[in-house]
Amino acid sequence: GDSVTQMEGPVTLSEEAFLTINCTYTATGYPSLFWYVQYPGEGLQLLLKATKADDKGSNKGFEATYRKETTSFHLEKGSVQVSDSAVYFCALTPRGNQGGKLIFGQGTELSVKP
Amino acid sequence: SAVISQKPSRDICQRGTSLTIQCQVDSQVTMMFWYRQQPGQSLTLIATANQGSEATYESGFVIDKFPISRPNLTFSTLTVSNMSPEDSSIYLCSVAGRVEAFFGQGTRLTVV
């Protein structure tokens, strides 16, 4: 079945460092891909999304590109801030499933130190 | 977008008891989803709740353990029955947007 694998955490970075969180997926067809973020004490929020191959999702300085050839959707940010400390989840919905059922990766905890 | 309110936000329960979690959405939605996030793990879909019909459960989840109600298009409840410490998790309610999903803040359940 469909699945998502992301790099294990926790990841600890200094402020202004470059961030990459790897995410790869297995799915039939062409799923939609998402990054969700969970800030301490808050619910899940959509960070960015991409619905077809070569799409780049971006938000709040974060970017991820839908790479069909490598089945990847790695999250990047050029300069992290302390406020980016959170748990990041990569997820997919199968093609044709309009945002309903989500399959999540295991989550990566990011801690940014001043 | 959708705003989702979940209650309670957290609870500590005795083993063998049951807890009902409520989920209220600020707009009418056809499907609502319940997820579980066990400590240190990812989110797993428990079931899909459609208004006016029985919920559809994912593999490994059964109605006797997680009964769900969906009385109208803005409200749903999930009950965690006959709880054991293994049920200690965060339970989240979700609804589907046009492309993405929206989530409540979750209910953090600890079973002692």
Side-chain angles (χ1 to χ4, degrees), chain A residues 21-97:
Chain A
I21 301 177
N22 290 337
C23 171
T24 57
Y25 67 90
T26 302
T28 54
Y30 300 90
S32 294
L33 302 175
F34 306 87
W35 278 100
Y36 280 84
V37 58
Q38 189 174 37
Y39 297 104
E42 299 185 17
L44 275 174
Q45 303 173 26
L46 178 68
L47 180 60
L48 53 85
K49 65 180 184 287
T51 58
K52 60 184 188 296
D54 299 325
D55 268 3
K56 177 185 284 189
S58 61
N59 185 25
K60 299 181 181 180
F62 291 90
E63 292 183 340
T65 301
Y66 190 141
R67 301 286 189 200
K68 179 177 176 297
E69 63 276 14
T70 54
T71 62
S72 65
F73 193 54
H74 304 321
L75 183 68
E76 297 182 337
K77 186 174 185 181
S79 176
V80 294
Q81 305 300 311
V82 172
S83 57
D84 294 325
S85 297
V87 181
Y88 292 82
F89 292 93
C90 186
L92 68 81
T93 58
R95 192 67 169 173
N97 188 321

Side-chain angles (χ1 to χ4, degrees), chain B residues 2-19:
Chain B
V3 177
I4 303 172
S5 301
Q6 257 186 261
K7 290 195 293 187
S9 58
R10 59 177 63 229
D11 208 342
I12 301 173
C13 300
Q14 296 291 322
R15 66 180 68 198
T17 63
S18 298
L19 176 72

Side-chain angles (χ1 to χ4, degrees), chain B residues 90-108:
Chain B
I90 298 173
Y91 293 86
L92 296 107
C93 171
S94 171
V95 302
R98 196 171 63 84
V99 175
E100 73 258 34
F102 301 96
F103 289 84
Q105 291 194 326
T107 296
R108 184 180 294 272

